[in-house]
Amino acid sequence: MAEPEDALTIRHVAERLIKAHPEVDAEVVEDSVRTAYEELRYARVRTYLPVLMERRAKDLLPSDEQTDPPT
C-alpha cells in the first residue's frame, strides 16, 4: 500500500492524465498510474517521483489507434 503522501501524488497524477486524455477510460488511466508508482516506489530521490510517474503512466496508456473505434 502507498504511503499517505504517495497516495496523494498518485491521485494528482491520475487526475492530470484523465484531464489530458479524456478519450481513455479513467480506470485505465488509474491503472497505468498505479503501475508506474509500483515501478518507481523505491526510488531514493522522491523529488521527481510525480514527473517520472506521469511520464511512465503516459507510456502505458493505449495509443490513439487502440482507443479509436473501428470504422
Side-chain angles (χ1 to χ4, degrees):
M1 190 64 177
E3 296 292 323
E5 185 176 312
D6 288 348
L8 185 61
T9 300
I10 291 167
R11 187 174 53 166
H12 287 182
V13 170
E15 288 172 356
R16 281 195 303 271
L17 286 174
I18 289 169
K19 287 180 186 175
H21 300 278
E23 71 281 1
V24 179
D25 184 50
E27 190 171 315
V28 172
V29 173
E30 291 167 357
D31 287 344
S32 69
V33 173
R34 280 192 291 273
T35 299
Y37 171 76
E38 289 301 321
E39 292 176 2
L40 298 165
R41 69 186 286 181
Y42 297 111
R44 286 194 214 169
V45 179
R46 311 292 288 177
T47 305
Y48 302 108
L49 186 62
V51 172
L52 295 173
M53 282 174 47
E54 187 166 346
R55 287 181 182 172
R56 179 62 182 134
K58 279 183 192 177
D59 289 343
L60 294 171
L61 291 177
S63 65
D64 289 339
E65 297 87 37
Q66 294 172 338
T67 58
D68 289 340
T71 53

XYZ file of all heavy atoms in Angstrom:
575
model
N 0.837 -1.190 0.000
C 0.000 0.000 0.000
C 0.876 1.245 0.000
O 1.936 1.255 0.602
C -0.902 -0.036 1.239
C -1.967 1.012 1.238
S -3.067 0.703 -0.141
C -4.255 1.944 0.099
N 0.423 2.272 -0.659
C 1.181 3.514 -0.777
C 1.149 4.297 0.534
O 0.175 4.250 1.279
C 0.601 4.360 -1.896
N 2.230 5.018 0.774
C 2.279 5.932 1.912
C 1.260 7.040 1.653
O 0.912 7.323 0.511
C 3.685 6.537 2.018
C 4.765 5.533 2.304
C 4.660 4.942 3.691
O 4.298 5.664 4.640
O 4.930 3.741 3.830
N 0.762 7.703 2.727
C -0.246 8.755 2.534
C 0.185 9.843 1.548
O -0.606 10.266 0.703
C -0.443 9.329 3.935
C -0.066 8.212 4.850
C 1.021 7.455 4.132
N 1.436 10.277 1.634
C 1.917 11.305 0.709
C 1.961 10.765 -0.718
O 1.604 11.463 -1.665
C 3.311 11.769 1.131
C 3.827 12.919 0.310
C 5.165 13.419 0.812
O 5.291 13.635 2.028
O 6.060 13.585 -0.028
N 2.372 9.514 -0.872
C 2.412 8.908 -2.198
C 1.002 8.709 -2.747
O 0.777 8.860 -3.948
C 3.150 7.574 -2.165
C 4.651 7.744 -1.987
O 5.151 8.883 -2.121
O 5.324 6.737 -1.720
N 0.049 8.373 -1.889
C -1.337 8.202 -2.337
C -1.875 9.505 -2.906
O -2.587 9.508 -3.919
C -2.207 7.715 -1.187
N -1.524 10.602 -2.284
C -1.944 11.915 -2.781
C -1.296 12.196 -4.133
O -1.952 12.689 -5.058
C -1.567 12.999 -1.763
C -2.041 14.406 -2.063
C -3.570 14.461 -2.130
C -1.538 15.358 -0.989
N -0.030 11.865 -4.262
C 0.673 12.047 -5.532
C 0.035 11.199 -6.625
O -0.177 11.675 -7.744
C 2.162 11.674 -5.373
O 2.744 12.523 -4.385
C 2.911 11.819 -6.684
N -0.280 9.951 -6.315
C -0.932 9.061 -7.277
C -2.248 9.667 -7.752
O -2.543 9.697 -8.948
C -1.167 7.669 -6.654
C 0.167 6.960 -6.447
C -2.109 6.832 -7.509
C 0.082 5.724 -5.575
N -3.027 10.170 -6.816
C -4.324 10.766 -7.168
C -4.140 11.985 -8.068
O -4.844 12.145 -9.068
C -5.098 11.136 -5.907
C -6.509 11.587 -6.220
C -7.298 11.809 -4.982
N -6.545 12.724 -4.115
C -7.040 13.346 -3.075
N -8.282 13.147 -2.722
N -6.306 14.157 -2.352
N -3.182 12.860 -7.731
C -2.972 14.069 -8.533
C -2.490 13.735 -9.943
O -2.958 14.342 -10.916
C -1.970 14.989 -7.844
C -2.538 15.676 -6.652
N -1.842 16.577 -5.904
C -3.753 15.589 -6.056
C -2.589 17.020 -4.915
N -3.753 16.416 -4.984
N -1.582 12.781 -10.049
C -1.092 12.375 -11.371
C -2.237 11.783 -12.190
O -2.409 12.111 -13.368
C 0.088 11.381 -11.247
C 0.431 10.767 -12.597
C 1.303 12.070 -10.646
N -3.044 10.944 -11.575
C -4.183 10.341 -12.278
C -5.159 11.415 -12.746
O -5.637 11.369 -13.879
C -4.884 9.327 -11.382
N -5.445 12.383 -11.894
C -6.368 13.457 -12.277
C -5.841 14.252 -13.469
O -6.594 14.578 -14.386
C -6.618 14.392 -11.080
C -7.471 13.771 -10.001
C -7.557 14.610 -8.732
O -6.886 15.679 -8.642
O -8.286 14.195 -7.812
N -4.541 14.560 -13.455
C -3.956 15.300 -14.589
C -4.055 14.507 -15.881
O -4.397 15.047 -16.939
C -2.494 15.652 -14.297
C -2.314 16.844 -13.401
C -0.893 17.376 -13.441
N 0.115 16.390 -13.089
C 0.541 16.151 -11.852
N 0.021 16.800 -10.838
N 1.483 15.250 -11.639
N -3.751 13.208 -15.800
C -3.787 12.389 -17.010
C -5.220 12.161 -17.502
O -5.444 12.086 -18.710
C -3.081 11.064 -16.776
C -1.556 11.146 -16.711
C -0.964 9.800 -16.338
C -0.988 11.629 -18.024
N -6.158 12.049 -16.600
C -7.565 11.893 -17.002
C -8.027 13.133 -17.759
O -8.706 13.036 -18.780
C -8.455 11.600 -15.781
C -8.186 10.176 -15.268
C -9.935 11.796 -16.108
C -8.803 9.868 -13.919
N -7.630 14.315 -17.282
C -7.980 15.560 -17.981
C -7.270 15.667 -19.322
O -7.837 16.139 -20.297
C -7.631 16.766 -17.113
C -8.566 16.963 -15.953
C -8.170 18.171 -15.136
C -9.034 18.277 -13.900
N -8.605 19.376 -13.029
N -6.018 15.219 -19.364
C -5.227 15.327 -20.595
C -5.637 14.298 -21.641
O -5.423 14.509 -22.839
C -3.744 15.169 -20.272
N -6.225 13.185 -21.203
C -6.601 12.096 -22.115
C -8.046 11.664 -21.861
O -8.295 10.539 -21.419
C -5.650 10.901 -21.933
C -4.227 11.236 -22.202
N -3.713 11.265 -23.476
C -3.210 11.592 -21.384
C -2.446 11.613 -23.421
N -2.120 11.817 -22.160
N -9.007 12.537 -22.178
C -10.411 12.196 -21.912
C -10.922 11.023 -22.751
O -11.932 10.411 -22.408
C -11.162 13.490 -22.243
C -10.263 14.225 -23.182
C -8.865 13.838 -22.792
N -10.208 10.691 -23.831
C -10.635 9.588 -24.698
C -10.327 8.222 -24.086
O -10.862 7.207 -24.521
C -9.972 9.697 -26.080
C -8.486 9.398 -26.103
C -7.566 10.516 -25.626
O -8.047 11.593 -25.234
O -6.349 10.288 -25.635
N -9.492 8.200 -23.050
C -9.119 6.947 -22.393
C -9.956 6.790 -21.134
O -10.144 7.745 -20.378
C -7.608 6.942 -22.039
C -7.219 5.652 -21.343
C -6.768 7.164 -23.280
N -10.455 5.590 -20.921
C -11.259 5.297 -19.742
C -10.474 5.649 -18.474
O -9.287 5.330 -18.369
C -11.639 3.818 -19.735
C -12.551 3.460 -18.588
O -13.571 4.154 -18.389
O -12.233 2.484 -17.873
N -11.132 6.288 -17.520
C -10.482 6.725 -16.284
C -9.851 5.558 -15.528
O -8.775 5.700 -14.937
C -11.480 7.456 -15.390
N -10.483 4.410 -15.558
C -9.940 3.247 -14.859
C -8.619 2.786 -15.487
O -7.695 2.389 -14.775
C -10.956 2.104 -14.876
C -10.573 0.952 -13.976
C -11.696 -0.051 -13.843
O -12.847 0.366 -13.654
O -11.394 -1.252 -13.932
N -8.524 2.882 -16.794
C -7.285 2.524 -17.488
C -6.170 3.495 -17.091
O -5.033 3.084 -16.828
C -7.485 2.518 -19.023
C -6.174 2.333 -19.761
C -8.493 1.450 -19.410
N -6.504 4.767 -17.016
C -5.521 5.774 -16.609
C -5.058 5.503 -15.180
O -3.855 5.504 -14.883
C -6.105 7.203 -16.722
C -5.143 8.227 -16.136
C -6.430 7.542 -18.168
N -6.009 5.253 -14.279
C -5.661 4.990 -12.886
C -4.792 3.745 -12.753
O -3.831 3.727 -11.963
C -6.926 4.865 -12.043
C -7.654 6.191 -11.893
C -9.066 6.060 -11.347
O -9.528 4.919 -11.117
O -9.699 7.103 -11.150
N -5.089 2.720 -13.528
C -4.269 1.505 -13.505
C -2.843 1.788 -13.979
O -1.879 1.272 -13.405
C -4.887 0.409 -14.372
C -6.116 -0.224 -13.756
O -6.337 -0.044 -12.533
O -6.861 -0.893 -14.488
N -2.719 2.607 -15.013
C -1.380 2.918 -15.526
C -0.584 3.733 -14.506
O 0.617 3.523 -14.347
C -1.451 3.641 -16.871
O -1.960 4.936 -16.729
N -1.260 4.621 -13.786
C -0.584 5.415 -12.759
C -0.146 4.516 -11.600
O 0.969 4.642 -11.093
C -1.477 6.573 -12.267
C -0.843 7.288 -11.069
C -1.728 7.565 -13.396
N -1.005 3.600 -11.198
C -0.633 2.676 -10.112
C 0.543 1.790 -10.530
O 1.454 1.534 -9.742
C -1.829 1.823 -9.703
C -2.795 2.558 -8.788
C -3.809 1.611 -8.173
N -4.754 1.091 -9.161
C -5.870 1.684 -9.506
N -6.218 2.833 -8.954
N -6.677 1.148 -10.399
N 0.539 1.335 -11.772
C 1.650 0.531 -12.272
C 2.939 1.345 -12.274
O 3.996 0.860 -11.845
C 1.354 0.014 -13.693
O 0.181 -0.800 -13.648
C 2.512 -0.779 -14.254
N 2.852 2.590 -12.734
C 4.023 3.471 -12.736
C 4.541 3.671 -11.315
O 5.748 3.644 -11.071
C 3.676 4.807 -13.379
N 3.638 3.857 -10.370
C 4.049 4.027 -8.974
C 4.764 2.776 -8.471
O 5.816 2.876 -7.833
C 2.845 4.341 -8.079
C 3.209 4.307 -6.622
C 3.917 5.357 -6.049
C 2.876 3.222 -5.823
C 4.285 5.320 -4.718
C 3.244 3.181 -4.486
C 3.942 4.234 -3.935
O 4.313 4.183 -2.624
N 4.216 1.619 -8.751
C 4.829 0.371 -8.288
C 6.238 0.208 -8.848
O 7.130 -0.287 -8.165
C 3.968 -0.830 -8.661
C 2.685 -0.929 -7.856
C 2.925 -1.036 -6.351
O 3.870 -1.736 -5.928
O 2.176 -0.410 -5.594
N 6.444 0.644 -10.079
C 7.760 0.542 -10.689
C 8.762 1.511 -10.069
O 9.963 1.255 -10.063
C 7.671 0.811 -12.193
C 6.932 -0.266 -12.954
C 6.766 0.063 -14.429
O 7.252 1.122 -14.885
O 6.134 -0.733 -15.132
N 8.264 2.632 -9.547
C 9.147 3.699 -9.068
C 9.108 3.899 -7.555
O 9.801 4.772 -7.033
C 8.761 5.019 -9.752
C 8.904 5.040 -11.265
C 8.172 6.235 -11.854
C 10.368 5.054 -11.650
N 8.362 3.110 -6.851
C 8.118 3.370 -5.428
C 9.359 3.305 -4.555
O 9.395 3.887 -3.487
C 7.044 2.439 -4.896
C 7.481 0.987 -4.806
C 6.364 0.097 -4.411
N 6.098 0.293 -2.990
C 5.183 -0.355 -2.317
N 4.427 -1.232 -2.923
N 5.010 -0.129 -1.047
N 10.392 2.618 -4.979
C 11.601 2.503 -4.166
C 12.704 3.469 -4.593
O 13.847 3.328 -4.177
C 12.120 1.066 -4.185
C 11.127 0.113 -3.564
C 10.452 -0.818 -4.344
C 10.843 0.171 -2.211
C 9.528 -1.677 -3.781
C 9.915 -0.686 -1.635
C 9.261 -1.611 -2.424
O 8.341 -2.450 -1.867
N 12.343 4.453 -5.396
C 13.327 5.440 -5.828
C 13.869 6.199 -4.613
O 13.116 6.563 -3.710
C 12.694 6.421 -6.809
N 15.168 6.406 -4.586
C 15.776 7.112 -3.460
C 15.422 8.592 -3.469
O 15.140 9.174 -2.432
C 17.289 6.971 -3.511
C 17.765 5.624 -3.111
C 19.242 5.717 -2.874
N 19.894 4.480 -3.271
C 21.179 4.341 -3.375
N 21.972 5.353 -3.144
N 21.704 3.191 -3.719
N 15.491 9.208 -4.629
C 15.185 10.632 -4.738
C 13.702 10.766 -5.053
O 13.248 10.397 -6.130
C 16.046 11.302 -5.832
C 15.713 12.775 -5.949
C 17.518 11.097 -5.535
N 12.943 11.259 -4.103
C 11.484 11.333 -4.227
C 11.016 12.634 -4.884
O 9.851 12.746 -5.265
C 10.831 11.223 -2.843
C 11.329 10.075 -1.983
C 10.955 8.747 -2.485
N 9.538 8.527 -2.283
C 8.899 7.457 -2.674
N 9.554 6.493 -3.273
N 7.629 7.318 -2.487
N 11.891 13.580 -5.039
C 11.514 14.895 -5.565
C 10.841 14.801 -6.922
O 9.862 15.487 -7.186
C 12.763 15.793 -5.674
O 13.392 15.854 -4.401
C 12.397 17.181 -6.151
N 11.370 13.944 -7.790
C 10.878 13.867 -9.162
C 9.890 12.721 -9.374
O 9.518 12.448 -10.517
C 12.056 13.738 -10.124
C 13.016 14.890 -9.992
C 14.265 14.721 -9.411
C 12.653 16.163 -10.405
C 15.135 15.788 -9.262
C 13.518 17.231 -10.263
C 14.756 17.042 -9.682
O 15.599 18.098 -9.538
N 9.459 12.087 -8.314
C 8.541 10.958 -8.436
C 7.273 11.307 -9.226
O 6.902 10.560 -10.129
C 8.193 10.402 -7.052
C 7.360 9.132 -7.046
C 8.098 7.986 -7.730
C 7.013 8.742 -5.621
N 6.602 12.434 -8.946
C 5.382 12.741 -9.732
C 5.645 12.868 -11.231
O 4.880 12.354 -12.043
C 4.895 14.070 -9.140
C 5.487 14.121 -7.774
C 6.803 13.403 -7.864
N 6.727 13.531 -11.600
C 7.045 13.719 -13.019
C 7.361 12.374 -13.675
O 6.871 12.071 -14.769
C 8.235 14.694 -13.185
C 8.694 14.755 -14.631
C 7.868 16.062 -12.682
N 8.168 11.584 -12.992
C 8.532 10.276 -13.547
C 7.319 9.359 -13.643
O 7.161 8.633 -14.631
C 9.622 9.636 -12.685
C 10.957 10.372 -12.670
C 11.892 9.743 -11.643
C 11.578 10.392 -14.051
N 6.457 9.403 -12.639
C 5.233 8.589 -12.678
C 4.352 8.994 -13.844
O 3.810 8.142 -14.547
C 4.438 8.748 -11.369
C 4.987 7.967 -10.220
S 4.122 8.312 -8.677
C 2.419 8.218 -9.144
N 4.190 10.293 -14.034
C 3.323 10.769 -15.116
C 3.877 10.347 -16.475
O 3.126 9.871 -17.330
C 3.173 12.286 -15.039
C 2.153 12.820 -16.013
C 1.743 14.243 -15.721
O 2.027 14.763 -14.631
O 1.097 14.836 -16.612
N 5.170 10.475 -16.663
C 5.778 10.072 -17.943
C 5.611 8.578 -18.183
O 5.288 8.147 -19.284
C 7.259 10.438 -17.964
C 7.493 11.908 -18.113
C 8.956 12.200 -18.150
N 9.197 13.642 -18.244
C 10.383 14.195 -18.143
N 11.450 13.453 -17.966
N 10.510 15.494 -18.232
N 5.863 7.778 -17.156
C 5.739 6.324 -17.300
C 4.293 5.929 -17.543
O 4.000 5.071 -18.386
C 6.302 5.627 -16.052
C 6.194 4.139 -16.101
C 6.990 3.562 -17.265
N 6.817 2.119 -17.301
C 6.565 1.420 -18.398
N 6.514 2.020 -19.565
N 6.397 0.131 -18.342
N 3.369 6.544 -16.816
C 1.948 6.227 -16.986
C 1.486 6.573 -18.402
O 0.719 5.824 -19.009
C 1.114 6.966 -15.947
N 1.957 7.694 -18.953
C 1.615 8.056 -20.341
C 2.083 6.974 -21.303
O 1.386 6.635 -22.252
C 2.271 9.384 -20.724
C 1.553 10.594 -20.243
C 2.271 11.826 -20.765
C 1.805 13.080 -20.114
N 2.546 14.269 -20.579
N 3.279 6.447 -21.048
C 3.808 5.377 -21.904
C 2.943 4.125 -21.830
O 2.863 3.366 -22.792
C 5.239 5.015 -21.508
C 6.242 6.093 -21.859
O 5.913 6.979 -22.684
O 7.354 6.053 -21.300
N 2.306 3.895 -20.701
C 1.489 2.701 -20.510
C 0.073 2.849 -21.074
O -0.621 1.842 -21.264
C 1.392 2.366 -19.013
C 2.702 1.949 -18.349
C 2.522 1.861 -16.849
C 3.192 0.629 -18.915
N -0.345 4.079 -21.336
C -1.689 4.292 -21.887
C -1.768 3.762 -23.308
O -0.774 3.782 -24.040
C -2.039 5.782 -21.876
C -2.247 6.417 -20.514
C -2.520 7.911 -20.666
C -3.378 5.755 -19.758
N -2.947 3.313 -23.709
C -3.095 2.839 -25.092
C -2.872 3.983 -26.075
O -3.196 5.127 -25.796
C -4.532 2.327 -25.160
C -5.202 2.782 -23.932
C -4.168 3.217 -22.949
N -2.324 3.643 -27.228
C -2.095 4.658 -28.258
C -3.425 5.053 -28.888
O -4.444 4.409 -28.684
C -1.144 4.116 -29.324
O -1.751 3.038 -30.000
N -3.398 6.102 -29.697
C -4.628 6.576 -30.350
C -5.267 5.504 -31.204
O -6.480 5.408 -31.280
C -4.337 7.808 -31.212
C -4.027 9.035 -30.373
O -4.405 9.052 -29.191
O -3.400 9.972 -30.909
N -4.454 4.682 -31.854
C -5.012 3.635 -32.706
C -5.805 2.613 -31.878
O -6.765 2.032 -32.342
C -3.915 2.883 -33.461
C -3.118 3.727 -34.421
C -1.939 4.408 -33.750
O -1.309 3.810 -32.870
O -1.681 5.576 -34.103
N -5.386 2.400 -30.642
C -6.056 1.429 -29.796
C -7.329 1.975 -29.173
O -8.196 1.230 -28.769
C -5.103 0.948 -28.683
C -3.946 0.178 -29.214
C -2.927 -0.129 -28.135
O -2.872 0.543 -27.119
N -2.127 -1.144 -28.377
N -7.469 3.302 -29.055
C -8.654 3.884 -28.434
C -9.729 4.267 -29.434
O -10.872 4.464 -29.058
C -8.288 5.141 -27.601
O -7.657 6.093 -28.458
C -7.381 4.774 -26.446
N -9.372 4.388 -30.724
C -10.365 4.741 -31.745
C -11.258 3.544 -32.036
O -10.783 2.417 -32.182
C -9.677 5.174 -33.045
C -9.014 6.513 -32.915
O -9.380 7.274 -32.002
O -8.117 6.803 -33.724
N -12.574 3.780 -32.136
C -13.453 2.673 -32.502
C -13.222 2.253 -33.947
O -12.864 3.077 -34.782
C -14.864 3.247 -32.327
C -14.696 4.727 -32.318
C -13.275 5.018 -31.920
N -13.389 0.973 -34.266
C -13.179 0.523 -35.650
C -14.199 1.152 -36.602
O -15.340 1.393 -36.232
C -13.374 -0.997 -35.566
C -13.921 -1.286 -34.224
C -13.782 -0.069 -33.369
N -13.775 1.406 -37.806
C -14.687 2.023 -38.800
C -15.105 1.024 -39.836
O -14.542 0.030 -40.067
C -13.995 3.208 -39.511
O -12.764 2.776 -40.040
C -13.844 4.348 -38.557
